[in-house]
Amino acid sequence: MLQQIIDRRLSGKNKSIGNRERFLRRHKEQIREAVRRAVDGRGIRDMERGEDVHIPKKDLSEPVFGHGDGGVREVVRPGNTEHVKGDRVAKPQGGGGGGGGGKASDSGEGDDDFVFHLSKEEFMQVFFDDLALPNLERTQLAETPEWKSHRAGFTSDGTPTNLHVVRSMRGALGRRIALGTSKRHELHELEERLALLQREDPTDFEVKRMHAETLERIAVLRAKIGAIPFLDPIDLRFRNRVRVPVPTSRAVMFCLMDVSGSMDESRKDLAKRFFILLYLFLTRHYEKIEVVFIRHHTQAQEVDEQNFFHATETGGTVVSSALVLMEEIIRARYPRSEWNIYGAQASDGDNWHHDSGRCREMLADKILPLCRYFAYVQVAEQEQNLWEEYSKLEGEVKHFAMRKAVEVAQIYPVFRELFKKEGVPA
């Protein structure tokens, strides 16, 4: 007899979230591998979406409880034409397992892989797992605060949707009690006096006069008490909300790319992939991200994203022009006290040889003191003078890093190496 244990405990509104989280933890390695394959085959604009994950059915087996037969049993199997009592039957030949691992069959049976869909948030969580921003201390924005709405008690005017019924009824009850207390107290005294007068001689003129006056006064008080409204406009209370400044953090990402004649489309595509990875990574740590695109050959220019990636130009290379423009933009629009500044530079390393030393000096003296992190990615294998100059800074400045990536498949590993958490292998 087969036993099955079914957990019917409720787990909130989304009753499958607990099972899904356990499933993701159990098959973490298969999911990571699926994400890596997806990254290699995706375009930049398709990076931030979900992914279908295939897991072989053999990896999904669950433990079950069952009763063993026990003892020695004789069983009759129908359709036997080959074996007699006492024969030892060998196991069937052929490969099991799912996922198309065996040969094709005409029996109409087989085991398919289990396929489920990773949501966008789950995909990005796995994608950036084990990564962290160096120097993650955030700069607080004080001079240009952002505002959020917070509850601030109650007010006597507002919209009907904000009406607080309980507080309004409580105020109405208090008002009725306050306005009617003295009248009810006087009414109680008059009713006691009326009871005493009724015991006196009804033919006495003075008793009759006092009796009539008491009745008249009681009628007036009851009318006044009855005239107190059950709910008055002054009783209404509305939920009040005020806008208060809250500390926030924001970052600016500078993308610097060489667009000289030596940078062909394949190298630009490598740079684009790195920039988009950095942008997606920063959006997980900062509420507001601004991106500044600077392209350069002999001269640098701030452009929009379309021109940054797709405009075609030729000419020589003067890398320092981009660094000069980056510093000017930071000084003019992004003060270090208010912005977290990140820089990413992509180049094939080819530069006017007299300019590479100036680039190193500018980075060390002007750019790096303003940045939280600066990464240089060379999209060419050959080490030229710019790589040699930048390598002098790598060991001296902890928030500066440089790597090479000459193939699409190398972009993601290089990115993980640049931003891996301490003590975690890339």
Side-chain angles (χ1 to χ4, degrees):
M1 179 185 297
L2 180 64
Q3 285 186 340
Q4 291 183 344
I5 298 177
I6 302 176
D7 186 358
R8 299 190 183 277
R9 293 174 296 179
L10 299 180
S11 58
K13 186 175 181 180
N14 189 348
K15 299 180 182 180
S16 65
I17 187 65
N19 295 332
R20 184 176 182 86
E21 290 177 350
R22 285 191 294 270
F23 181 84
L24 293 177
R25 288 195 300 268
R26 179 177 179 182
H27 300 282
K28 191 173 184 179
E29 291 304 321
Q30 291 96 325
I31 294 172
R32 282 182 175 177
E33 184 61 30
V35 170
R36 292 190 186 100
R37 292 195 303 267
V39 170
D40 292 339
R42 284 189 182 184
I44 294 301
R45 302 186 185 278
D46 297 330
M47 187 64 68
E48 203 174 6
R49 61 176 174 84
E51 175 66 18
D52 291 332
V53 177
H54 296 253
I55 296 180
K57 189 174 181 180
K58 62 183 179 63
D59 293 339
L60 300 176
S61 58
E62 297 285 349
V64 295
F65 295 93
H67 295 288
D69 294 337
V72 179
R73 296 171 181 266
E74 292 186 0
V75 181
V76 177
R77 301 295 185 187
N80 174 37
T81 60
E82 300 177 3
H83 305 287
V84 297
K85 183 177 180 180
D87 288 349
R88 298 181 66 86
V89 182
K91 292 183 178 180
Q93 299 296 322
K103 296 182 179 180
S105 170
D106 60 356
S107 61
E109 298 179 355
D111 291 336
D112 294 330
D113 288 350
F114 176 74
V115 182
F116 72 99
H117 184 74
L118 278 180
S119 66
K120 169 185 171 182
E121 184 61 31
E122 291 170 340
F123 181 86
M124 300 305 293
Q125 181 65 35
V126 177
F127 184 70
F128 292 118
D129 194 18
D130 299 332
L131 301 183
L133 281 175
N135 272 351
L136 194 53
E137 178 185 358
R138 301 182 180 185
T139 298
Q140 296 299 322
L141 179 63
E143 297 183 3
T144 311
E146 293 190 1
W147 301 84
K148 289 188 177 180
S149 178
H150 288 272
R151 290 184 179 181
F154 300 91
T155 181
S156 58
D157 57 351
T159 61
T161 56
N162 291 329
L163 177 65
H164 196 284
V165 177
V166 175
R167 184 57 67 97
S168 299
M169 296 304 297
R170 186 185 303 172
L173 178 61
R175 177 187 51 80
R176 294 198 304 272
I177 293 175
L179 293 178
T181 297
S182 61
K183 297 180 178 61
R184 291 189 182 90
H185 182 70
E186 183 181 356
L187 178 62
H188 181 67
E189 292 178 349
L190 291 175
E191 288 176 344
E192 290 180 350
R193 182 190 300 179
L194 180 63
L196 293 175
L197 290 175
Q198 290 176 347
R199 299 174 186 175
E200 300 292 335
D201 184 6
T203 60
D204 187 349
F205 176 78
E206 186 65 23
V207 172
K208 293 173 63 176
R209 184 184 64 80
M210 294 178 61
H211 188 274
E213 290 179 352
T214 303
L215 288 176
E216 182 180 358
R217 182 57 183 168
I218 289 175
V220 171
L221 288 175
R222 287 178 175 173
K224 289 183 177 181
I225 293 175
I228 298 176
F230 181 80
L231 186 65
D232 196 87
I234 63 173
D235 302 327
L236 300 181
R237 292 295 181 268
F238 300 87
R239 298 180 183 87
N240 187 32
R241 291 183 175 273
V242 296
R243 294 174 69 241
V244 297
V246 294
T248 186
S249 58
R250 55 184 181 178
V252 56
M253 170 183 162
F254 283 86
C255 299
L256 286 66
M257 184 170 67
D258 180 9
V259 293
S260 61
S262 59
M263 285 285 289
D264 54 21
E265 287 301 320
S266 62
R267 291 177 176 179
K268 290 180 182 178
D269 182 67
L270 292 175
K272 179 171 64 173
R273 290 174 182 268
F274 178 77
F275 290 142
I276 198 66
L277 285 178
L278 179 57
Y279 174 75
L280 293 176
F281 186 43
L282 290 177
T283 57
R284 298 179 63 83
H285 294 277
Y286 293 97
E287 299 175 6
K288 182 177 181 180
I289 300 289
E290 289 194 11
V291 184
V292 178
F293 297 101
I294 299 177
R295 51 186 289 137
H296 70 90
H297 40 89
T298 56
Q299 295 180 345
Q301 182 182 12
E302 181 182 1
V303 296
D304 57 21
E305 181 178 358
Q306 180 68 22
N307 289 325
F308 183 76
F309 288 119
H310 302 290
T312 57
E313 295 182 20
T314 59
T317 308
V318 180
V319 177
S320 62
S321 61
L323 299 178
V324 170
L325 181 57
M326 177 179 174
E327 183 195 9
E328 293 176 354
I329 294 175
I330 292 176
R331 303 289 186 189
R333 289 154 37 191
Y334 303 103
R336 187 176 185 273
S337 60
E338 299 179 4
W339 289 84
N340 298 275
I341 303 171
Y342 293 86
Q345 182 180 5
S347 173
D348 60 355
D350 185 21
N351 189 26
W352 184 42
H353 63 281
H354 294 298
D355 186 61
S356 297
R358 185 188 179 197
C359 292
R360 175 180 55 81
E361 295 175 357
M362 286 200 62
L363 270 180
D365 300 336
K366 298 182 179 181
I367 301 298
L368 293 180
L370 302 176
C371 293
R372 293 288 184 190
Y373 196 71
F374 192 98
Y376 171 69
V377 176
Q378 181 170 298
V379 292
E381 182 64 34
Q382 183 179 0
E383 296 181 2
Q384 303 196 53
N385 51 7
L386 185 62
W387 178 273
E388 295 174 356
E389 293 291 340
Y390 276 6
S391 61
K392 299 177 183 178
L393 297 174
E394 188 175 17
E396 300 177 358
V397 184
K398 63 180 181 179
H399 59 280
F400 172 76
M402 51 189 297
R403 296 292 187 275
K404 290 182 181 179
V406 296
E407 297 178 0
V408 172
Q410 295 178 339
I411 291 295
Y412 185 51
V414 164
F415 179 81
R416 292 188 62 87
E417 187 178 357
L418 288 174
F419 293 98
K420 67 180 179 181
K421 292 180 181 178
E422 294 183 2
V424 177

